[in-house]
Structures are given as structure tokens and as C-alpha cells.
Amino acid sequence: MVIKQVNLETVCGITSVLPKNQKPEVAFAGKSNVGKSSLINSLVNRKALARTSSQPGKTQTINFYNVNETMYLVDLPGYGYAKVPQSEKEKWGKLIERYLHGSQQLRAVFLLIDIRHEPGANDKIMYEWICHNGYEPIIIATKLDKIKRSQIQKQVKLIREGLKVRPGTQIIPFSSETKQGVAEVWNLMESLCFAEEKQAETQDEA
Ligand SMILES: Nc1nc2c(ncn2[C@@H]2O[C@H](COP(=O)(O)OP(=O)(O)O)[C@@H](O)[C@H]2O)c(=O)[nH]1
Ligand SMILES: [Mg+2]
């Protein structure tokens, strides 16, 4: 997709009313520091639209980025930040649950996992939780530039087995440094968000 315009349209905290958007949404989940903000910046070709930081746990809101007035990229709160009290974690959990359960426009959920590491307990919980809400998570294995090419298959297998992914689950290696995977993620997002429109167009043309 050619990015003509992108803006942070809605920011929701634990007490917010979630927006009833009229355009398709895709959401991104993952542990703090996994590279979620960097991924969103890469996808929309901006350096600092979504804040990136080496201080994890700061952006505890659901952020809706409007892309070209045609769809939304939805940044979910990062989990696994140890310094946060349990009561806060539960509130974020409820907020994410409220969103996954309530969105009428959510077409896909991407779960980000650092390609260098085996998925942790929270990653497994998140994976199951997304499935439980009726979505088939697509895995993005981040920070691809940090491993050798020869390690990729082994690490992907580690993620596949660690999360016990459902058969047919896609795992896309990705790097915000080299932009590897950007085109693949966009192809997927476009087919998930606009497949019906495309079909209608082809029918019109015929
Ligand atoms: N080498 C490398 N570093 C990355 C990549 N993605 C994110 N980072 C770094 O990881 C840290 C956390 O990234 P951020 O996007 O803020 O993670 P978030 O907490 O999931 O939003 C930052 O220092 C980023 O520069 C990547 O693909 N490659
Ligand atoms: Mg972030």
C-alpha cells in the first residue's frame, strides 16, 4: 500500500470507550520491547510515528492509527513488564479482552515474538487468548537482523513448537532495521482487509 496519510486517531486507556470504527482493523500484540512500535513505523514508512523506546512498559494504551482513511493499525498494550503491579496488569488484560471481544472490524491479530528467544509464558497465554477470542494469530518473528541467516529456520521452529501453533499458522520473519518482511505483512493485511472489495471490483469489471 502506498502510504499517503497516517495519523494516531484514537488512544484508549483502561477506562476509555473503544471507538466504533467503520474501516477494517488489524491489531498487533506482543511483549514490551519486542519491536511493536518499530514494526508499525516500518509498515507506514515513518521514523517516529509510534514511539519506540528502550524503556518498556510506557505505552499502556490501545492506539488506533488511521492509514489513508482506509484501515486501522491497532497497537495493543505490551505485556510482561515486571515492574508493573498485578492490579495494573489485570486492567490492561481486561482492556485487551474488551477490544478483542468487542471490535466489529477486527480482521486479524498479529502476535510478535522475538526471533532470538523461545516464547515465554506470557506469549503462550496471549496466543491462546487470541485463539480463544476466535482469531487465528499470525506470528511475526521480530529482530531478524540480530540472527544469522543459517539460524532462521531453527528459530522459527522453536517459536512454532513453543507456542504450539495451530496447523497452517504463518510465521513471518521481520526486521525493522532491514525492512525485511514489510511487503509480506502488507500483502497479508491487504488481502485480509480488502479481499471483499477486490472481489467486487473484479466482478464489476467482468
Ligand atoms: N536490531 C533491531 N532492533 C529492533 C528491531 N525492532 C525493534 N528494535 C529495538 O528494540 C527496542 C524496542 O523496540 P520498540 O519498537 O519500542 O518495542 P515495543 O515495546 O514492542 O514497542 C528499541 O530499542 C528498538 O530500536 C529490529 O527489527 N531490529
Ligand atoms: Mg511500543
Side-chain angles (χ1 to χ4, degrees), residues 36-37 51-52 59 75:
K36 213 148 41 74
S37 299
R51 266 173 302 165
T52 60
T59 48
D75 189 0

Side-chain angles (χ1 to χ4, degrees), residues 30-117:
K31 190 175 165 176
S32 301
N33 230 22
V34 70
K36 213 148 41 74
S37 299
S38 306
L39 170 107
I40 291 172
N41 286 336
S42 299
L43 291 176
V44 297
N45 209 10
R46 297 284 194 279
K47 281 222 162 65
L49 178 78
R51 266 173 302 165
T52 60
S53 78
S54 38
Q55 274 184 298
K58 285 224 153 167
T59 48
Q60 293 311 335
T61 49
I62 299 185
N63 298 343
F64 293 80
Y65 295 94
N66 179 326
V67 181
N68 293 350
E69 301 288 333
T70 58
M71 66 172 293
Y72 292 90
L73 303 183
V74 182
D75 189 0
L76 299 173
Y79 51 82
Y81 187 47
K83 281 186 189 158
V84 170
Q86 186 60 30
S87 58
E88 280 297 295
K89 287 181 190 166
E90 279 167 22
K91 284 178 194 163
W92 300 335
K94 291 223 169 74
L95 176 64
I96 297 175
E97 173 104 327
R98 201 146 60 80
Y99 172 67
L100 289 182
H101 198 73
S103 170
Q104 301 292 310
Q105 291 293 348
L106 183 57
R107 304 296 164 88
V109 182
F110 290 87
L111 176 60
L112 279 64
I113 305 284
D114 190 320
I115 199 162
R116 295 171 296 175
H117 310 301

Side-chain angles (χ1 to χ4, degrees), residues 170-188:
Q170 302 197 55
I171 301 182
I172 305 170
F174 189 95
S175 167
S176 297
E177 290 286 315
T178 65
K179 312 298 175 203
Q180 220 174 315
V182 167
E184 208 176 336
V185 173
W186 263 120
N187 281 341
L188 253 173

